[in-house]
Amino acid sequence: ALGRLCALSVARTHCPHFGLLVGQRATILSLGIVGRLMLHSETVDDALRNLVAHLGVQNRGAVGALAVTGDIAVFSYAVYQPETESVDQITDGAIACTVNAMRALLGEAWAPTEVLLPRACPADAEPYRRHFRAPVRFDQEIAALVFPARFLQRRIAGADPLLRVMLEERI
C-alpha cells in the first residue's frame, strides 16, 4: 500500500524525489516507540542496533543492518517485500529519516561520509546533496549511510536508563 501511495504521489506531483521530501520531514519520534528507545539508548551503537532489532515494529516489509569494518560503519536499509512499487521512493524516505535520527542523536551538524542509493541518478540530484550534506552515489547495490565508526561510541545526551528499560519491556 505504501508503494502504491508513493507511486501515485510521484505521478500527481511530478516530483521524482517525493520520498526524499517525506523522509526529510520525519523525525526520530516518527519511528514511534523504536525512536523513543533510540533516544534513551546508552550509545549511538545501541540506538542503531535497537533500530535494526525492532524495525519490524514499524515496518514489516523492510530490514535494516549495521556493519562495522575497521573505522567505517555502514547502516543499510532494504525493502524485501516482493513486488513492492516505488521501492526507490520508500528507500529514499527511510534513508532521509535515518539521517534525521542520527542528527537527533549526534547533533544537527552531523553528516554521513557518503550515502549510497540503489536508484538511478535523478536529473536533479541537488535535493539529495542538500539534505544529506554528503556525496550521494546512485546506482548502488544497497541503500546505506557510510560514516566513521567512532560516532557509534558516543553517549546519548539525556538518555534515561529507567525509561530505556521500560521501553524495551514494552517493545
Side-chain angles (χ1 to χ4, degrees), residues 45-118:
D45 184 61
D46 295 332
L48 287 175
R49 293 194 188 280
N50 280 324
L51 175 60
V52 167
H54 303 296
L55 184 61
V57 170
Q58 290 294 62
N59 186 339
R60 296 196 173 141
V63 64
L66 178 63
V68 179
T69 303
D71 60 351
I72 301 294
V74 178
F75 175 83
S76 61
Y77 175 90
V79 174
Y80 66 82
Q81 188 71 28
E83 300 178 28
T84 300
E85 290 181 65
S86 298
V87 169
D88 59 340
Q89 300 296 321
I90 294 168
T91 301
D92 287 355
I95 293 294
C97 178
T98 304
V99 164
N100 290 346
M102 292 291 284
R103 289 177 179 150
L105 300 173
L106 292 164
E108 184 56 36
W110 183 85
T113 304
E114 65 180 338
V115 176
L116 311 178
L117 294 174

Side-chain angles (χ1 to χ4, degrees), residues 28-50:
I28 196 167
L29 295 178
S30 299
L31 298 170
I33 192 169
V34 177
R36 291 186 194 289
L37 178 58
M38 291 174 73
L39 282 171
H40 293 286
S41 297
E42 187 173 340
T43 65
V44 172
D45 184 61
D46 295 332
L48 287 175
R49 293 194 188 280
N50 280 324

